[in-house]
Amino acid sequence: MTGKTRKTSARAAKPALLAGGNPQIAKAEGDAPVQAYIAAMPGWKRDIGRRLDELIVRTVPGVRKAVKWNSPFYGIADEGWFLSFHCFTKYVKVAFFRRTSLRPVPPGESRSKDTRYLDVHENDQFDEAQLVAWVTQASRLPGERM
């Protein structure tokens, strides 16, 4: 194996981290790219990613998964996407698409009038029961087509 080949293999094994520590994962459908994204999340953010994924999968059996624009997306087949998350330097941003209908409305505002955010910081003890309630509600609403 040449040195060049080794570098390419190493790069394929460990994704590059973009701004804010966001993993660069190729666009793809399914659980495998989402798990690759989560595995590449740096430090404490990886635990948040795992917990979000576990809660979503447990709450929405058969949830559709993909990585798009270097973020995991969750949706319902033929219904669109209802949630994604993304790494930033100091937090993980959970996006609920078309979710001003959620009760209570998630706290973070967006430039998109229908999207709402939940930012999870390193030492936050986010309310899992509330997150599950939002995921349940969001999965029952028409999703975002992307």
Side-chain angles (χ1 to χ4, degrees), residues 39-142:
M41 292 172 77
W44 62 270
K45 295 173 191 171
R46 185 176 312 114
D47 291 335
I48 298 297
R50 282 186 192 125
R51 191 67 190 136
L52 289 169
D53 186 68
E54 289 168 4
L55 289 170
I56 296 163
V57 168
R58 186 180 75 211
T59 305
V60 186
V63 69
R64 177 179 172 210
K65 297 182 185 184
V67 171
K68 296 172 173 277
W69 304 287
N70 299 307
S71 296
F73 278 70
Y74 296 82
I76 304 296
D78 302 321
E79 295 293 324
W81 305 105
F82 62 84
L83 180 149
S84 76
F85 59 88
H86 191 89
C87 288
F88 287 88
T89 302
K90 296 184 179 183
Y91 58 95
V92 175
K93 182 176 286 294
V94 181
F96 295 92
F97 306 117
R98 295 186 182 181
R99 300 305 172 232
T100 53
S101 300
L102 300 181
R103 296 294 176 253
V105 175
E109 294 185 10
S110 170
R111 285 183 246 167
S112 167
K113 67 181 178 87
D114 294 327
T115 300
R116 296 298 290 198
Y117 298 120
L118 173 67
D119 295 343
V120 182
H121 296 84
E122 182 173 8
N123 295 314
D124 287 353
Q125 296 297 318
F126 68 89
D127 184 344
E128 288 188 5
Q130 181 59 71
L131 184 71
V132 166
W134 282 330
V135 168
T136 300
Q137 292 173 57
S139 70
R140 294 179 179 160
L141 295 168

